[in-house]
């Protein structure tokens, strides 16, 4: 299963990888292109498809989810920037320690996608009535959740992503006076597929289109998105757990 994802990844990312390798004299551009390649890495394909499904559903239902999308990207920027800063400050030896945790973080993505899909299908609802802990209103609206989703998905490393970030990007970071900024550029690059699909919805004037057609159509779209999320989560879990 993983080899199948790798074949798809290589097919989609090879042109961008070639461009990244040929633009190392322009570190910012090279980092951005490496981010696009990273978005197509096997460990990022299903998570990006999940994010596309979720935000497309929100955009069709209520209007373009700009705030959620920006917080999702911000979560990615914080994750990659923090990781790059740690490696930059502590040296290459920290990489061996960090890589011990990446496989476990990666395994969480599939179950998370399944839970989100089941929630969209209406199979369970989230009620927070525990008096010792009250969830802020922002969480219920999904905005803080978008940040943590972007943050968490960014730490889902696989061999391809490891090579791109630590072996290809970090040497650029070390060799450039403003290298500490390059992981942030890389993070934006990894968000390109999600941004692309949301911009298509905006360009086609589909912002809130479902809301205008009635509750029944909206429910059908949300259930479809839920099914897609569950299938992606199951596929992802099978790939990285078995």
């Amino acid at each position: 299963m993983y080899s199948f994802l790798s074949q798809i990844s290589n097919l989609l990312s090879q042109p961008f990888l070639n461009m990244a390798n040929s633009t190392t004299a322009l570190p910012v551009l090279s980092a951005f292109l490496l981010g696009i390649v990273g978005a197509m890495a096997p460990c990022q394909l299903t998570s990006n498809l999940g994010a596309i499904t979720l935000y497309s559903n929100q955009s069709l239902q209520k209007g373009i989810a700009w705030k959620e999308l920006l917080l999702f990207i911000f979560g990615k920027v914080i994750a990659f920037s923090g990781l790059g800063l740690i490696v930059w400050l502590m040296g290459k030896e920290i990489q061996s320690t960090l890589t011990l945790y990446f496989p476990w973080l990666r395994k969480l993505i599939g179950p998370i996608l399944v839970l989100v899909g089941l929630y969209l299908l209406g199979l369970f609802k989230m009620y927070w009535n525990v008096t010792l802990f009250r969830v802020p209103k922002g969480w219920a609206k999904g905005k803080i959740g978008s940040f943590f989703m972007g943050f968490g998905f960014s730490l889902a490393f696989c061999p391809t992503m490891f090579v791109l970030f630590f072996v290809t990007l970090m040497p650029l970071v070390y060799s450039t006076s403003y290298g500490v900024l390059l992981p942030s550029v890389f993070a934006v690059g990894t968000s390109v597929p999600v941004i692309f699909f949301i911009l298509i919805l905006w360009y086609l004037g589909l912002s809130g289109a479902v809301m205008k057609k009635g509750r029944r159509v909206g429910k059908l779209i949300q259930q479809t998105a839920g099914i897609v999320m569950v299938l992606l989560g199951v596929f992802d879990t099978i790939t990285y757990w078995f």
Side-chain angles (χ1 to χ4, degrees):
M1 190 74 73
Y2 184 83
S3 61
F4 174 69
L5 281 178
S6 296
Q7 291 174 1
I8 296 176
S9 171
N10 290 335
L11 179 65
L12 294 173
S13 63
Q14 194 59 50
F16 294 100
L17 184 59
N18 292 336
M19 285 189 288
N21 290 331
S22 63
T23 56
T24 52
L26 300 170
V28 172
L29 178 58
S30 184
F32 179 73
L33 291 170
L34 285 173
I36 295 177
V37 176
M40 301 174 193
C43 52
Q44 294 290 317
L45 276 175
T46 47
S47 57
N48 274 325
L49 286 172
I52 287 169
T53 302
L54 180 62
Y55 295 130
S56 295
N57 174 59
Q58 290 183 12
S59 298
L60 289 170
Q61 297 274 4
K62 303 176 182 178
I64 299 299
W66 294 120
K67 291 181 180 179
E68 288 81 0
L69 178 60
L70 288 174
L71 283 168
F72 175 78
I73 297 171
F74 185 57
K76 281 179 164 289
V77 168
I78 293 297
F80 282 116
S81 298
L83 188 59
L85 183 61
I86 290 172
V87 176
W88 186 68
L89 291 174
M90 303 187 69
K92 296 181 180 179
E93 61 273 8
I94 194 65
Q95 295 180 21
S96 59
T97 302
L98 291 173
T99 53
L100 296 175
Y101 301 98
F102 290 148
W104 295 103
L105 291 170
R106 184 60 192 83
K107 287 184 176 183
L108 292 175
I109 301 301
I112 289 173
L113 291 175
V114 171
L115 285 174
V116 173
L118 294 175
Y119 174 74
L120 290 175
L121 286 171
L123 296 183
F124 71 91
K125 295 185 181 297
M126 290 184 286
Y127 295 105
W128 307 92
N129 296 320
V130 181
T131 56
L132 295 176
F133 179 72
R134 181 170 293 179
V135 176
K137 292 182 179 180
W139 285 58
K141 296 179 180 179
K143 293 181 174 60
I144 302 298
S146 293
F147 170 82
F148 282 109
M149 188 167 69
F151 185 89
F153 285 3
S154 299
L155 299 179
F157 272 68
C158 56
T160 303
M161 198 65 171
F162 179 87
V163 170
L164 286 172
F165 189 84
F166 289 107
V167 179
T168 310
L169 178 67
M170 288 311 295
L172 284 176
V173 172
Y174 285 122
S175 63
T176 308
S177 59
Y178 52 88
V180 71
L181 300 176
L182 295 183
S184 299
V185 178
F186 179 86
V188 176
T190 64
S191 307
V192 164
V194 184
I195 297 171
F196 177 73
F197 275 91
I198 297 302
L199 285 176
I200 287 177
L201 293 179
W202 173 74
Y203 179 76
L204 294 176
L206 297 177
S207 174
V210 172
M211 183 172 58
K212 301 171 186 175
K213 294 183 179 181
R215 183 176 298 178
R216 183 176 297 179
V217 176
K219 186 176 181 180
L220 177 62
I221 295 294
Q222 180 161 322
Q223 289 178 338
T224 302
I227 292 171
V228 171
M229 293 284 280
V230 170
L231 291 176
L232 286 172
V234 170
F235 179 77
D236 191 271
T237 303
I238 291 173
T239 301
Y240 291 98
W241 282 80
F242 302 102

